[in-house]
């Protein structure tokens, strides 16, 4: 979840909100005049997105999961601080994890932020002075409990050159989380976890290793407790935000190449072949929906029968400059969209302009 336009370095719970998705949440860092200004900005730039974050208008890296008890859909996002006036890329740091809820995957309402993720419990209540950076939550249901694999950075920085790691959390209800442990991986520059159970019965965790030219690596586990690094899973063009799912008799991996998403296919979720040539992507051509005219970035796929629904984010007002160095607040803002995926003769296809049907309701 590092900035989508940053080129790789050499080393590589619920706060019951109003049903209005743009309403400010009591107790958040953004209240009063600031919240009103953000709401006005969202209103001025009204678009066809399914979700805008009402705090900083910086929702990115969505992951969507169904609550096993209520049937409601929960979306967790990186809550970038797109509206702050701080040096360098500090606005991409200090982020919390936002929550939105939906009965059908299309109509979302903001539900606050996840509490208790900081190593220092006191940091959880000091919303105006974040001490950690949280990116790219991956949330799964292992059948017994929910697990979150979160990118954590110790601090809030104006540049990119700082260690990051992936930390596991556990929950019984998606609302209250407890820290489990850091996952031992291949370097101290790892971000963007994705976890799935593979056809061999083992769990795999895919992640971006910035120390290996921003490629995707994998680790394997029999029990989600002990992990062993397997090595590089996807090389080639630098990328991030791997998302793995099964659809149409194949396993698929989407990766964010900052120009759309590269597609890789596998029979076993272990050996991968790129779909098309090196330049072929989905969500690369501009969409016709308002706000969906730039690249689709770092997404998550929910499989529903013979289709998938990919939830992704855009920067509706992006002008093509490197976002990490942009001084234009509008270029930093982001929006969540959804599009359907289908398998056609062994190829994964996506028409981002086609209507999206609702997910099963509770």
């Amino acid at each position: 979840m590092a900035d989508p336009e940053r080129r790789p370095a050499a080393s590589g719970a619920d706060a019951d909100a109003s049903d209005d998705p743009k309403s400010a949440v009591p107790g958040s860092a953004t209240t009063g005049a600031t919240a009103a200004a953000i709401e006005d900005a969202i209103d001025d730039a009204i678009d066809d997105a399914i979700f805008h974050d009402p705090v900083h208008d910086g929702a990115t890296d969505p992951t969507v999961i169904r609550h096993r008890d209520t049937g409601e859909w929960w979306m967790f996002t990186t809550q970038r601080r797109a509206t702050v006036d701080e040096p360098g890329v500090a606005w991409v740091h200090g982020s919390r994890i936002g929550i939105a809820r939906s009965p059908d995957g299309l109509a979302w309402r903001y539900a606050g932020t996840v509490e208790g993720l900081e190593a220092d419990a006191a940091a959880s209540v000091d919303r105006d002075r974040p001490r950690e950076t949280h990116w790219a939550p991956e949330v799964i249901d292992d059948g017994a409990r929910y697990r979150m694999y979160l990118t954590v950075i110790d601090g809030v920085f104006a540049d990119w050159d700082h260690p990051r790691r992936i930390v596991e959390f556990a929950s019984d209800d998606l609302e209250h989380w407890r820290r489990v442990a850091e996952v031992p991986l291949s370097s101290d520059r790892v971000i963007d976890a994705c976890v799935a159970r593979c056809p061999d019965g083992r769990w795999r965790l895919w992640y971006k290793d910035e120390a290996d030219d921003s490629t995707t690596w994998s680790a394997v586990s029999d029990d989600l407790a002990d992990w062993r690094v397997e090595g590089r899973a996807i090389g080639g063009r630098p990328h991030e935000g791997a998302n793995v799912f099964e659809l149409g008799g194949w396993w698929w991996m989407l990766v964010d190449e900052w120009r759309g998403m590269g597609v890789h296919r596998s029979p076993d979720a272990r050996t991968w072949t790129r779909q098309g040539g090196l330049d072929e992507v989905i969500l690369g051509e501009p969409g016709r929906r308002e706000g969906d005219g730039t690249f689709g970035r770092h997404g998550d796929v929910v499989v529903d029968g013979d289709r998938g629904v990919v939830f992704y984010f855009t920067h509706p007002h992006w002008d093509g400059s490197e976002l990490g160095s942009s001084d234009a607040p509008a270029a930093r803002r982001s929006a969540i969209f959804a599009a359907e995926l289908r398998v056609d003769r062994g190829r994964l296809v996506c028409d981002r302009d086609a209507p999206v049907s609702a997910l099963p309701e509770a």
Side-chain angles (χ1 to χ4, degrees):
M1 180 270 138
D3 187 85
E5 290 308 303
R6 177 174 65 90
R7 296 300 176 251
S11 64
D14 181 48
D16 231 354
S18 159
D19 287 339
D20 179 359
K22 295 190 287 293
S23 62
V25 174
S28 71
T30 303
T31 58
T34 305
I38 295 172
E39 184 171 338
D40 288 345
I42 295 174
D43 285 336
D44 290 344
I46 194 164
D47 56 32
D48 296 322
I50 60 172
F51 182 70
H52 277 272
D53 173 71
V55 179
H56 292 294
D57 203 15
T60 63
D61 312 330
T63 186
V64 176
I65 187 169
R66 196 174 196 184
H67 196 293
R68 76 167 79 96
D69 295 325
T70 68
E72 189 178 34
W73 296 95
W74 287 50
M75 177 165 59
F76 295 83
T77 66
T78 303
Q79 191 182 68
R80 283 186 184 173
R81 301 183 304 138
T83 57
V84 302
D85 183 14
E86 294 181 8
V89 293
W91 65 278
V92 186
H93 294 81
S95 45
R96 297 168 63 84
I97 300 305
I99 308 170
R101 296 182 180 183
S102 172
D104 60 5
L106 298 179
W108 293 90
R109 65 179 180 87
Y110 182 62
T113 55
V114 180
E115 302 296 337
L117 298 180
E118 293 82 357
D120 178 0
S124 295
V125 298
D126 192 359
R127 296 169 181 266
D128 294 318
R129 300 184 61 188
R131 304 178 197 179
E132 288 185 359
T133 294
H134 296 157
W135 288 346
E138 163 74 337
V139 181
I140 67 167
D141 183 348
D142 70 4
R145 64 185 60 83
Y146 301 104
R147 297 176 187 258
M148 178 187 295
Y149 297 86
L150 182 68
T151 300
V152 176
I153 302 172
D154 293 326
V156 179
F157 303 104
D159 60 70
W160 299 112
D161 192 21
H162 300 275
R164 32 275 215 151
R165 64 192 190 277
I166 292 172
V167 178
E168 180 191 348
F169 297 81
S171 173
D172 297 318
D173 58 7
L174 289 179
E175 182 175 352
H176 303 94
W177 293 88
R178 58 191 179 276
R179 182 177 290 239
V180 177
E182 178 180 343
V183 182
L185 297 171
S186 50
S187 80
D188 65 354
R189 292 294 192 278
V190 296
I191 66 173
D192 295 355
C194 175
V195 178
R197 194 162 201 171
C198 300
D200 63 2
R202 310 180 81 188
W203 294 90
R204 280 182 174 79
L205 185 156
W206 295 269
Y207 60 95
K208 175 187 178 183
D209 191 338
E210 294 179 327
D212 186 46
D213 296 325
S214 294
T215 54
T216 294
W217 281 52
S218 67
V220 65
S221 175
D222 293 319
D223 56 6
L224 291 172
D226 297 313
W227 292 94
R228 177 178 59 83
V229 173
E230 293 184 300
R232 184 191 290 181
I234 299 291
R237 188 189 298 267
H239 56 267
E240 64 187 13
N243 188 251
V244 175
F245 57 97
E246 186 180 13
L247 182 67
W250 295 93
W251 285 82
W252 304 93
M253 181 190 294
L254 303 182
V255 294
D256 180 1
E257 296 184 350
W258 311 294
R259 59 190 190 93
M261 297 186 190
V263 178
H264 300 262
R265 190 181 76 174
S266 174
D268 56 10
R270 298 180 64 189
T271 57
W272 299 92
T273 301
R274 186 177 182 113
Q275 176 173 289
L278 291 177
D279 294 328
E280 183 173 334
V281 294
I282 63 171
L283 298 173
E285 294 297 320
R288 292 195 297 268
R289 293 177 294 185
E290 189 70 28
D292 195 30
T294 61
F295 303 136
R297 305 171 187 263
H298 193 149
D300 183 47
V301 175
V302 173
V303 175
D304 176 32
D306 63 356
R307 65 158 185 163
V309 178
V310 57
F311 295 86
Y312 60 95
F313 78 95
T314 70
H315 288 288
H317 309 291
W318 180 57
D319 60 5
S321 62
E322 288 202 8
L323 289 165
S325 59
S326 175
D327 291 324
R332 299 175 178 180
R333 293 190 169 111
S334 52
I336 306 295
F337 284 83
E340 292 198 356
L341 303 173
R342 297 192 182 275
V343 177
D344 182 10
R345 290 172 287 184
R347 288 178 53 84
L348 189 71
V349 295
C350 176
D351 179 357
R352 70 192 296 177
D353 297 320
V356 179
S357 299
L359 294 174
E361 295 195 34

